[in-house]
Amino acid sequence: MKQRYSLTIILSLAFTLCCFAQFEGEKTPFLILQSGAGLKYNNTLHTSFLLSAEKPVGKFCHLGVQWIWYTSEKEDWLAYDSFSAQKDLGGFEAGAFAKFFLHGRLSGRKSNLYFSPEIRVGAHRFEGYFYGDFDPGGLYDYSSTHLTQKYLVRCGAQWVVGRHVVVEVALPLGWEHSKIVSKTVYNHVEFPNPSHSFDRFVMLPTMQLGFAL
């Protein structure tokens, strides 16, 4: 229920700001700093917090870097069945992007709309438990780290309200590659597990507010 409220709030704010945001001024900012929130679905809906810095290069291109923190699961253990459960401990990512703004071919006027290739690398941690395996009555604890690489295309819009306030909404989407490194503990004895990988499609809606220098 909390995740649905978070999604509703972000979409409502995005719609309101899209309606009232003004067009960008003629002066190109020296640097843009932004922070905001995003959503990610991974069995359950999680909130992420973003911090980014971007530098306009020319009139229609921005280059930037960003940091993303994923919140931990605040609810109880997520039980997949009667024999196993898992908890999300949160994670982080760092990435880089290049925004290319649409513009009029004849007028040369810069649009608020842009597209951006984006790459992120990071880690996400989990812990859990399960019953059975070698000892059917035994309780096994495990922990795992998902080492992630994301290759995304971000479609978004950015407005400069007045001279310094920046508003941005975006939808990064693309492919995520994860390598899972894990270990299992039983009776205080640690058993390393073989690592494995998987790939999946991801969508990561975001909203940011910032300051243009």
Side-chain angles (χ1 to χ4, degrees):
M1 186 64 68
K2 293 180 180 179
Q3 290 88 351
R4 292 182 180 178
Y5 287 149
S6 299
L7 178 60
T8 302
I9 292 172
I10 288 179
L11 293 178
S12 298
L13 288 174
F15 178 78
T16 302
L17 290 170
C18 287
C19 292
F20 291 100
Q22 301 176 9
F23 287 102
E24 178 185 29
E26 296 182 358
K27 184 178 179 181
T28 301
F30 173 75
L31 185 68
I32 297 175
L33 303 175
Q34 294 188 98
S35 63
L39 296 173
K40 176 185 177 182
Y41 183 79
N42 181 24
N43 295 320
T44 58
L45 198 60
H46 295 282
T47 303
S48 62
F49 297 96
L50 302 89
L51 181 65
S52 67
E54 61 188 74
K55 168 69 176 174
V57 179
K59 189 175 181 180
F60 308 118
C61 177
H62 293 188
L63 301 179
V65 293
Q66 63 182 346
W67 297 265
I68 303 99
W69 292 269
Y70 291 100
T71 58
S72 60
E73 180 58 62
K74 298 184 182 300
E75 299 177 357
D76 294 333
W77 294 89
L78 178 62
Y80 293 106
D81 49 48
S82 58
F83 301 102
S84 64
Q86 179 173 274
K87 179 181 290 186
D88 189 334
L89 301 180
F92 71 92
E93 288 178 340
F97 56 84
K99 296 178 180 177
F100 298 95
F101 287 83
L102 304 181
H103 55 279
R105 178 175 299 180
L106 298 178
S107 66
R109 183 170 184 176
K110 181 180 179 181
S111 171
N112 298 315
L113 302 177
Y114 71 84
F115 71 93
S116 171
E118 180 178 341
I119 185 171
R120 302 182 187 181
V121 295
H124 210 112
R125 296 177 57 241
F126 300 86
E127 65 179 15
Y129 65 83
F130 61 91
Y131 291 95
D133 207 1
F134 299 108
D135 181 359
L139 177 64
Y140 295 78
D141 297 307
Y142 72 89
S143 60
S144 65
T145 300
H146 294 199
L147 304 176
T148 62
Q149 301 174 13
K150 288 186 175 68
Y151 304 94
L152 309 168
V153 174
R154 186 197 305 186
C155 302
Q158 184 183 87
W159 299 267
V160 176
V161 183
R163 293 187 58 184
H164 299 293
V165 178
V166 180
V167 179
E168 180 173 324
V169 291
L171 178 62
L173 50 87
W175 208 251
E176 178 185 75
H177 175 76
S178 296
K179 178 180 179 181
I180 301 178
V181 179
S182 63
K183 63 180 180 181
T184 301
V185 178
Y186 177 62
N187 281 342
H188 306 290
V189 179
E190 182 177 308
F191 304 93
N193 301 323
S195 62
H196 63 281
S197 303
F198 68 90
D199 298 275
R200 63 182 174 185
F201 177 78
V202 291
M203 297 178 63
L204 308 163
T206 62
M207 175 181 173
Q208 296 188 84
L209 299 176
F211 191 79
L213 304 176

